[in-house]
Amino acid sequence: MKKKIALVTGGFTGESVVSLKSAAVVETQIDRDRYDIYKIIIEKGHWYYTDQSGQKLTVDLNDFSVRIHKEKITFDGVFNILHGSPGEDGKLAGYFDMMGIPYTTCDPLTSAITMNKGYTKAIIQDIEGLHVAKSLQLFKNTPQNAQRVIDELSLPYFVKPNNGGSSIGMSKVKSKEEVQEALDKAFAEDSQVLIEEFVSGREFSIGMYKVDDEVIVLPATEIVSSKEFFDFEAKYTAGVTEEITPGRMSEEEVNRVKVVAEKVYLKLNCKGAVRMDYFLEQNTRKIFFIEINTVPGQTETSLISQQVRAVGKTVKEFYTEIIEEMWK
């Protein structure tokens, strides 16, 4: 008997567009000899499955089931590819826990913490070999904030929504005059904002996942953007960014990053595939943590997909490992 998997996508934020693209790829790559896949789209006020005739069939939230041609379909597990809220911030994980349905991503607590960049940094900052940039976390857009940022941090710095993703609402600030505009832009996306001092170095992103209690760290991807930083356009517009997998690092740096990445995964109690972004500082070669993404993109050209292929594995094999792990 093939197991029934709900492929959950959509969401309540601007990242829903990316989530739907990821789901379209996952849908074609999952092993259909092992699993029956049902794509469930989650929107505010409406969770549904679209049948072959194009009819939207509403999901029964009492037990997360859907009725197709008078047959009630329940699911053995959930492949979560919903970026942002509610798929990445713990809300969906909490619901599935209450329903007793296993899923491929982190538990509610880890999801909630890692969605908050400031809280994540506070937890991982004592990991040996890992560094965090000096930062300031703001919880309200008050008139005093701009001066506080200017007084406490050294230019230049990044201003970003604390709980957002895909670099939406993010700015690089080079002068005092730009601070308020950057804060307004970030607060328009989130009620919390993080301001970090700029780290001069090369940017990388590294994927990892767990199989049979072993954390598998994939080769890192080096991100070379023609823009000033890896913003939404750089991430999702062809030709704007060069992505080199494996990234250009010495053997010593590869080994050092691998050790640190595994420690981050374990310290945060991660599950499934996650992706950690980091800088290698220009002169010191220190590893500076940027953020962790617990529902990384799964488009054809996504970083995780590139890294999986770099170790000689197919994306289909990778998805099978992720799916099978949720029942262990």
Side-chain angles (χ1 to χ4, degrees), residues 247-258:
R248 296 169 295 185
M249 292 188 293
S250 68
E251 187 177 347
E252 183 275 333
E253 288 164 347
V254 169
N255 292 332
R256 187 154 46 93
V257 166
K258 185 176 180 179

Side-chain angles (χ1 to χ4, degrees), residues 30 62 205 242 253 316:
I30 286 181
N62 291 301
S205 190
E242 182 184 5
E253 288 164 347
K316 180 183 285 187

Side-chain angles (χ1 to χ4, degrees), residues 121-160:
K121 286 177 66 173
I123 290 171
I124 55 89
Q125 64 183 351
D126 64 346
I127 290 176
E128 186 179 355
L130 185 63
H131 302 265
V132 296
K134 187 178 179 182
S135 62
L136 184 62
Q137 190 170 346
L138 302 175
F139 298 90
K140 196 175 181 181
N141 194 8
T142 66
Q144 296 80 23
N145 279 342
Q147 191 58 50
R148 186 181 170 196
V149 171
I150 292 165
D151 291 343
E152 295 187 26
L153 299 177
S154 300
L155 285 162
Y157 30 73
F158 286 114
V159 178
K160 58 181 87 170

